[in-house]
Amino acid sequence: MLKTELVLASEEVPNPIVPHIPELILGFVAFLLLLFVLKKYVVPRFEATYEERTKLIEGGIERAEKAQAEAEENLAQYKAQLAEARSEAAKIRDDARLEAEQIKAELRAEAESESQRIVAQGQAQLQAQKAQIIAELRAELGRNSIELASRIVGESLADDARRHGTVDRFLAELETAGASNGAGK
């Protein structure tokens, strides 16, 4: 009996290492069902999400590259405009410097011509005053000489022709005497 009990006990207790066939079939069917659901619903969604993210990332990279290219182009334009503005400012500065030199030269020329005009006008006035003074002195000297000669000679020099002749001769003698004294010095 012991043997039979052992055989019965051994048939009743399943071996934990050997799986049961119905469980294997049920597990295989569940696995196939899970595989079908994954392939039919989950994998396409993963693929769509993956593709969408890939496109999003690639689009972002393209946008970033375009933005970078545009920024570089704007930077190049800015540098070109800055260089142009600097050269234009230098040109304006040089033009202003030249214009200032021209204005300075024109003002200098105007001042020079004005000073020459003033000097010439002053000299003309001096010559006119000198001529006027000489004429006045000659007239006065002539009257004084005639009066003095009349007293010395004792005759009246009322005759104009005589008086002018005498005065002119006297003045000529004075001029020659003054010139010889001035040359002798």
Side-chain angles (χ1 to χ4, degrees):
M1 170 129 191
L2 202 47
K3 259 187 172 185
T4 48
E5 280 184 18
L6 260 180
V7 172
L8 281 176
S10 68
E11 286 181 17
E12 288 179 16
V13 176
N15 188 356
I17 296 179
V18 177
H20 293 299
I21 299 285
E23 284 181 4
L24 277 177
I25 294 172
L26 184 64
F28 187 68
V29 168
F31 176 73
L32 287 177
L33 185 64
L34 181 64
L35 193 61
F36 174 75
V37 169
L38 285 175
K39 190 172 182 179
K40 180 80 175 175
Y41 298 107
V42 177
V43 171
R45 286 188 182 168
F46 277 139
E47 288 293 326
T49 305
Y50 175 73
E51 192 173 319
E52 184 179 312
R53 287 197 179 178
T54 303
K55 286 180 182 178
L56 200 82
I57 290 170
E58 287 174 353
I61 291 172
E62 286 177 15
R63 284 192 305 273
E65 287 174 351
K66 285 180 184 177
Q68 186 175 3
E70 187 176 320
E72 287 174 0
E73 183 180 320
N74 288 341
L75 179 63
Q77 287 177 350
Y78 170 74
K79 285 182 179 180
Q81 287 174 348
L82 184 62
E84 184 179 328
R86 284 182 179 161
S87 67
E88 190 172 324
K91 181 183 175 199
I92 290 172
R93 203 173 30 249
D94 291 341
D95 289 346
R97 195 172 294 131
L98 286 174
E99 190 174 328
E101 290 295 326
Q102 287 175 346
I103 290 172
K104 194 161 110 181
E106 288 173 5
L107 288 175
R108 186 173 287 137
E110 281 182 29
E112 221 172 271
S113 68
E114 183 68 19
S115 69
Q116 287 175 354
R117 185 189 63 79
I118 290 171
V119 166
Q121 187 179 13
Q123 286 177 347
Q125 283 178 349
L126 283 176
Q127 291 297 330
Q129 286 176 351
K130 181 180 173 184
Q132 182 183 1
I133 290 172
I134 288 174
E136 287 176 3
L137 284 176
R138 279 187 176 214
E140 189 172 329
L141 186 60
R143 280 190 301 270
N144 287 342
S145 341
I146 290 173
E147 186 178 318
L148 185 61
S150 296
R151 286 186 192 166
I152 292 174
V153 173
E155 79 180 62
S156 174
L157 297 174
D159 184 10
D160 275 345
R162 261 202 228 163
R163 184 172 22 151
H164 283 297
T166 306
V167 170
D168 288 340
R169 192 175 56 242
F170 178 72
L171 288 176
E173 287 174 9
L174 279 177
E175 284 179 8
T176 55
S180 64
N181 284 341
K185 288 183 180 178

